[in-house]
Amino acid sequence: MFENYLKIALRNILKQKFFSAINIIGLVIGMACCLLIFVYVMDEVSYDKFHPNNENIYRIGLHGRISGQEIYTSNSSVPVGPAMQNEIPGIEKMVRVARAGFGSGGMAFRYEDKSFTEEKVFYADSNFYDFFGFKLLQGDPKTALKDAYSIVLTEAFAIKYFGTTDALGKTLIIGNDKWSCKVTGITEDAPSNSHFHFNAIVSFITSRDQFYNGWTGNSIYTYIQKTPTASVSEINSKLEDLVAKYVGKEVEQGLGVTFEQFRKQGGLYSYFLYPLTDSHLYSAFNDDIEPASDIRYVYIFSGVGLFILLIACINFMNLSTAQSAGRAKEVGLRKTLGSQRGQMIGQFLSESFLYSLVAIVLAIALSFVMLPAFNLLAGKTLSLDALMSPVFMTAAVVLILLVGIVAGSYPAFYLTSFSVVEVLKGKAKAGMKSKGVRSSLVIFQFSVSTFLIIATVVVFEQLSYMQSKDMGIDKQHVITVSGARRLANNVSAFKTSVEAQAGVQKASYTNNAFPGVNNTSLFREKGSDVDHLVASYRADWDHLDVMKIELKEGRFFSREFKSDTIAIIINEAAVKEFGFTNPLSAEVLDYSNDVPTVVKVVGVVKDFNFESLKLKVRPLIILFAPTSRHLTVRYDGDPKSVVASIEAQWKQLAPGEPFEYAFMDERYDLLFRSEMRLRDIFTVFSGLAIFIACLGLFALAAFTTEQRTKEIGVRKALGASSISLTILLSKEFTRLVLIAIVPAVLLGWLVANWWLKDFTYRIDLNPMLFIGSALLAVLIAWITVAYQAIKASALNPVSSLRYE
């Protein structure tokens, strides 16, 4: 019986080659999208689950509040981890990790004549390899990071400097302090599904002078592993006791009030645990080790992939029910000869499963071909092994069954419901029930397609708005040269020589690499007892000219005023934060140093976006420094020649030191990386959804036109024009697409508002945006249907009337 089902299914597929091809193409694209998205989702939810006991590993975060300003950071202080392990029951072990060279543009590495500035270098406690699931290929995991000036390298890193992975015992010179570090281990690269990746790990003890050892200096990442029975809420409660015990003393020394008074004033300083496995998809921090993803994008990816598959299944259902009249006699004869309805349902489902089987084989092949492009789209590094895994193959089998049932269920139950008597009398047609269902499915298809068009346009508009918005600074034509501290006594000479180069307008030293301001310090108006948490950085006299910041009142730093060493510039947000009525006469206590310093406000600049446009401009203070670690250069010449001339000056004044630079506009563009990815995703998937929907619409139009061939001939013989016939044949489908626009626009408006709420600076949802998207969907649908209508209306009436 099963063999008979397959034979009939195969004959029907071959008999209707055009419709079969459309069904299979749609299913192949839909299934391939689903399979690739399945691999993506599996990768996203697998982050950090390769660590042993990952369900018991937690990170320490900090929630603070001062003067009404909330602070959420993934950083913690140096002593919090050891104190937790020693004083809180249920903590099995802890490990501390810190970024090396943070804020200075990376860390310098040198071996013989090779020198580079390296990113992704970290300090870590000696139990790093005992705590995490990272694999050490060479060396002893227990002692590799035990001693000072010990370093572990990845294989690629070892080859880069030594030309071989056999590097144990060799020495690298690293950092501005020229540490001589011994290679004590070779490690595997961190898996792609790790929340942070590294090129080198330096023993934490090496960095003992790099970090503030008090409880209020939060600059490292702390991880703890609890016992399976320990309660997170109890640990958090005891952690509060530790904070009161140790942080209170530092608060009293720094602010002049007791910890209790600090709390009564609305202040908050609270460490808390959050699961390691939540780091990638549920992070609420803007300062994490690496930019995290967002669970919403997993939902978006999954939803779009499911919609595309549904559209492909709808094509199958529509075409099957449209051809129902042609197979009605088959059903009637089978029933007359004794076939049971269940057997016929099995036959039609077997046909659907055969389509599904053919489609899945082609979809898997397409997935292999499209994986590199998909990686580029999704920002992943998935390998072909992911497509050979048992989980992937299981998903493929499930997809065969799912598509076979979803796509074949309605045709199977509908076609087998025909009355034998009506069929044999020739009265069974694709009736109102079938037509109503087909219309509903077409409406659903184009609702989804129109919604995806709207989503794509919204993302495009928001991204364009963010990239073109006046940020208050001119980020174009600015180069940032990092690591200026390596110039030693030649810092001033380097700036002078750079400004003398052709194509260079101005240069300025600053300790901040835009975008972002990494330092947030306490400031207090002189004579007040109210503290303010304000972002701050240092810059020299020429910073205003390089960044093109607009001065609102007062002046900027000037060489003519020797007192500018204790002068500050504030932005408009800081004026509001402090409540200044006459800011140029204000004096402020600066708590960023060990001893509070009185500084005087000499200028106010207009607010400018020094961070992402998702965030509101924060209060900002610019302090003075004649030299610093970054040289920002404004140029108006050819960027390649300007970079080459600056590099030549660097090599003269800092021979052997790595030269590192970045274009400021490119660094700002990185802030929009997730939005750019979302834009690309919607663009590709909108195109696929519309293509599959149009395939089905094209086939339905072809079938409808074929059924009305004689009618077309009669109308044309009676004088109907080709234009009127085209309108007649397109009218029904156009009506369906117009109906589909209504739910698409409503859903698009809701989703667009939901997505845009995270942006402080956002576009207005202009009605023309939705109208334009809807008209585009109508135009695409009309072109699809009009081709068949024009083709049919152009036939000779004689040929049409001879039809059948």
Side-chain angles (χ1 to χ4, degrees), residues 12-13 16 19-20 22-23 27 312-328 330-331 348-349 351-353 355 403-404 406-416 418 429-431 434-435 437-438 441 696 699-700 703:
N12 282 318
I13 290 173
Q16 300 285 344
F19 297 113
S20 298
I22 285 183
N23 277 331
L27 288 174
C313 291
I314 286 169
N315 281 352
F316 184 92
M317 296 166 68
N318 270 341
L319 292 176
S320 296
T321 53
Q323 299 172 62
S324 58
R327 300 190 66 178
E330 175 191 343
V331 173
F348 286 112
L349 284 176
E351 189 172 317
S352 174
F353 281 119
Y355 272 107
V403 171
V406 172
S409 58
Y410 181 75
F413 287 99
Y414 173 71
L415 292 172
T416 57
F418 290 146
K429 301 289 181 186
S434 170
K435 184 178 178 181
V437 171
R438 286 206 309 277
L441 294 177
L700 274 179
F703 181 82

Side-chain angles (χ1 to χ4, degrees), residues 120-276:
K120 299 181 180 179
V121 180
F122 294 89
Y123 301 112
D125 279 320
S126 59
N127 64 331
F128 181 80
Y129 284 98
D130 174 58
F131 191 96
F132 292 118
F134 303 118
K135 295 180 181 178
L136 196 65
L137 302 174
Q138 298 178 43
D140 186 347
K142 294 182 179 179
T143 60
L145 295 171
K146 183 178 180 181
D147 299 326
Y149 308 111
S150 298
I151 188 170
V152 173
L153 310 177
T154 62
E155 290 180 295
F157 205 80
I159 292 171
K160 179 178 180 178
Y161 284 92
F162 306 113
T164 176
T165 57
D166 187 17
L168 289 183
K170 295 187 177 182
T171 302
L172 277 169
I173 306 300
I174 72 170
N176 294 331
D177 295 326
K178 306 292 191 296
W179 292 332
S180 180
C181 288
K182 180 181 178 182
V183 179
T184 53
I186 302 296
T187 183
E188 271 190 356
D189 288 333
S192 61
N193 58 345
S194 171
H195 76 284
F196 78 100
H197 300 81
F198 46 82
N199 290 320
I201 304 289
V202 183
S203 57
F204 195 85
I205 192 174
T206 307
S207 68
R208 55 182 173 267
D209 297 326
Q210 302 296 307
F211 301 102
Y212 175 64
N213 287 315
W215 278 73
T216 54
N218 296 285
S219 55
I220 68 168
Y221 305 97
T222 304
Y223 301 79
I224 63 100
Q225 181 178 316
K226 70 177 186 66
T227 60
T229 57
S231 165
V232 173
S233 59
E234 289 182 9
I235 294 174
N236 278 331
S237 176
K238 294 185 182 299
L239 192 51
E240 287 296 311
D241 297 335
L242 281 184
V243 168
K245 179 179 178 181
Y246 293 106
V247 177
K249 298 176 183 177
E250 294 188 29
V251 168
E252 190 167 352
Q253 290 174 356
L255 301 181
V257 296
T258 66
F259 195 55
E260 285 303 314
Q261 289 174 322
F262 170 71
R263 283 178 167 173
K264 287 179 180 178
Q265 292 171 0
L268 177 67
Y269 197 97
S270 175
Y271 290 113
F272 62 93
L273 304 185
Y274 66 99
L276 172 68

Side-chain angles (χ1 to χ4, degrees), residues 340-358:
Q340 300 298 314
R341 189 183 181 193
Q343 293 173 318
M344 287 186 291
I345 289 173
Q347 177 200 322
F348 286 112
L349 284 176
S350 66
E351 189 172 317
S352 174
F353 281 119
L354 185 58
Y355 272 107
S356 184
L357 182 61
V358 172

Side-chain angles (χ1 to χ4, degrees), residues 19-135:
F19 297 113
S20 298
I22 285 183
N23 277 331
I24 289 173
I25 290 171
L27 288 174
V28 167
I29 295 173
M31 286 181 162
C33 288
C34 267
L35 290 174
L36 288 172
I37 286 172
F38 174 79
V39 174
Y40 164 85
V41 171
M42 288 298 100
D43 183 71
E44 286 287 284
V45 300
S46 71
Y47 266 68
D48 295 306
K49 291 184 178 177
F50 61 88
H51 298 297
N53 298 313
N54 61 79
E55 67 279 3
N56 292 315
I57 298 177
Y58 289 77
R59 300 176 66 187
I60 310 299
L62 171 67
H63 178 201
R65 187 190 309 114
I66 187 165
S67 299
Q69 292 189 42
E70 300 285 338
I71 307 166
Y72 280 95
T73 176
S74 57
N75 288 307
S76 56
S77 61
V78 171
V80 67
M84 289 179 68
Q85 188 172 15
N86 294 332
E87 301 185 39
I88 297 180
I91 305 294
E92 287 188 343
K93 48 189 174 182
M94 72 87 202
V95 68
R96 294 167 297 182
V97 175
R99 201 194 311 264
F102 181 63
S104 61
M107 178 170 274
F109 276 68
R110 183 188 298 171
Y111 177 73
E112 295 180 347
D113 61 341
K114 298 178 181 178
S115 63
F116 302 95
T117 298
E118 301 292 356
E119 301 286 348
K120 299 181 180 179
V121 180
F122 294 89
Y123 301 112
D125 279 320
S126 59
N127 64 331
F128 181 80
Y129 284 98
D130 174 58
F131 191 96
F132 292 118
F134 303 118
K135 295 180 181 178

Side-chain angles (χ1 to χ4, degrees), residues 4 94 164 169 171 200 275 325 476 515 519 523 554 558 602 612 629 669 683:
N4 179 257
M94 72 87 202
T164 176
T171 302
Q476 306 295 329
N519 187 53
F523 293 86
S558 172
V602 297
S612 170
R629 63 173 69 102
D669 285 346
T683 302

